[in-house]
Amino acid sequence: MRSDSPPPTVRSSFARTLPAAAVAVALALGGTPAAAAAPPTTAPTTDSAMTGAQLAASWTGPLSTRGRYIVDANGDRFKLKAGNWAGAQGTWEGSGDVNDPAHNQAGQVSHNIPLGLDRTPIAQILADFHGLGLNSMRLPFANAMIHDTSTVPDAAVAANPQLKGKTPLQVYDAVVAALTAEGFAVILNNHTTSYRFCCGLDGNERWNSGQSTQQWEADWLFMVQRYQANKRVVGADLRNEVRRDTWDNPNWGMGDSHDEYAAFEEAGNRILQADPDMLVVMEGINWSGIPTPITWHERPMLTPVRTLSNTLVRSDKLVYAAHFYAYTGPANTGAESGPGSTNDPRYQDFTPEQLAQVVNDEALFVTQSGQHFTAPVWISEFGAAGRGSANAKEQAWFHNFTDILVKNDADFAQWPVVGWSDANGKPQDNWALLSYDATGKRLGLGDPGDWRAADWNKLINAPGLTGPVAPVDHWNMLDLDFGDQNVSSRMLAQGDWSNGNRKGNCPDTERLVGLGRSDGRGLCTDAGRPAAGAGAWVTVTDERYVTHGDWAPGYNKLQCPDNTYAVGYSVHGNAMSALLCAPAAAPLPTTGRNAWFDHGDNRPATGGSTASDWAPGYYKGQCADNEYLAGVAYTWKWNHGGVPDTLLCRPLS
């Protein structure tokens, strides 16, 4: 979330007739379709504008992923052209009267519900969303909203009287229902813990700021189960802008209570066990370190994913996300002066070529195909001050950044969509694409005077991949650095198959294809995967299944029974303890080759995840994409310490 206060703006107006579907939603919710709207004066804002009926007919939920793309239930590309409808995360800035506009972001008191419901019927707001060409909405909420039993003030929903007497959560329910009835995909976004506007040292820095990780996960399970029947509620955006608090940094993979990598993976898997249809959206680390000229500080974003990516029980449900604003930078907080201000370059300081490179390095590299980290990247927040702003550097950045989004065919969500206008018709937050005054009059991006319109239309109407997306192979890493990584739904439902050891289990649709030496890392794939059989999975701890000759003389061997293939492994320290083997539906070849990696990497020259390092700093062995891992050999001689030295790779056919 952008944390600055926007400059004042100038007045304009924009109105048009409501689509019939929007009127129907308004009447169904008990509201008036457009009582405060002016007569239509202009055409829709973008060429991509659709009515609710058209949008609803254009895609089918739930959503999943194929490589770098999000697809609908028919396998067709669904590009997130989204906005952020803020408010339910809170607008109070942390001091003074929570109901005093002077102590709320941009003077806007949301009363902890999506902004604008006091000013305009919800049907009109949704019609205006259609006019912008949006097809989806990131809908922030605070954990406090889930537990808030108070009712919103009548004035907070004055333009939507059907919502009077409801709690903030019940209003959120109504907004979700209205959005999805109009065909919009909704991504739930856990933005804050309390209702305090973020994002600095505000008590909302991590998922477990002001609450336990267990409570955060329980709240997520509550939310996904609440909307589980609505297949247009498509995603769980786990937490907004994870960052340093006063004393501690978040980290990616250190195994402690500040480990975002581990917390997000655990929460994502629990969500998918409760609702297998949800997308799981993970942002990277938004800020680490102390921003002074003499201390380390940075904005890592998704850079740690290069060598430590997440694996979920469903390999087609992970989406990564990142945020970019002109006034921040790779090592710049965005502060203009005082504490937190440094001389590090801001994104707006880069040339177009430099900006494209840094955006790729921090986020869009994840879309590279065929790697352990390959996933869609959603730029789930970006924006700029619109009408009334004369910031030339920010305007140039916005132009260059939207060019990057267009060139990369990237999914996006602008921040924010809805704001207020004051009594003089000036937007109180001129970052908003739509502003409504106290009478319901709308000032939108399509009205004269907003310099962002050309870039927005370029972005929203940009050509990109449409239609069917071909199925892809997956490669996913396992990380046993600090404990188990069990991403098999089958094994999660069973007991401990290798007691006292750290275990890694591939997703049920994948098999084990590679191991790192001395670090406990592994690689899974579904490339050419044999059809799974119906028999029991076998834990192998000795050489009883070594058949067809001694393929590694003088070494200890763990070998899967014939016609089974490795899907998991366990280690003690970093020494091999066991293999977990799953049956194939048809006989598998028993000839094979050794892939030695005791003196260097031994990975295929082409194929799965060969352009990315899933066990950095360690030798790796990997079977080819058309092979299965049938065994692992190791030794305690020559100071090898029982770590894997070679893999037995056999052809799939």
Side-chain angles (χ1 to χ4, degrees), residues 447-459:
D447 296 304
D450 197 321
W451 65 266
R452 300 171 298 177
D455 285 319
W456 179 258
N457 288 330
K458 168 192 69 181
L459 175 61

Side-chain angles (χ1 to χ4, degrees), residues 512-601:
L512 186 66
V513 72
L515 287 174
R517 192 172 188 271
S518 303
D519 73 336
R521 298 280 180 94
L523 185 69
C524 305
T525 190
D526 55 11
R529 185 181 189 273
W537 291 17
V538 179
T539 300
V540 178
T541 58
D542 55 33
E543 298 190 2
R544 73 182 68 185
Y545 300 110
V546 176
T547 56
H548 313 289
D550 188 346
W551 49 274
Y555 284 76
N556 301 82
K557 290 169 282 292
L558 300 174
Q559 182 175 330
C560 292
D562 288 354
N563 301 317
T564 69
Y565 51 92
V567 292
Y569 63 105
S570 69
V571 295
H572 193 87
N574 288 314
M576 289 299 302
S577 293
L579 277 182
L580 182 66
C581 305
L588 293 172
T590 56
T591 59
R593 66 177 181 90
N594 284 11
W596 290 93
F597 56 107
D598 55 334
H599 289 87
D601 272 11

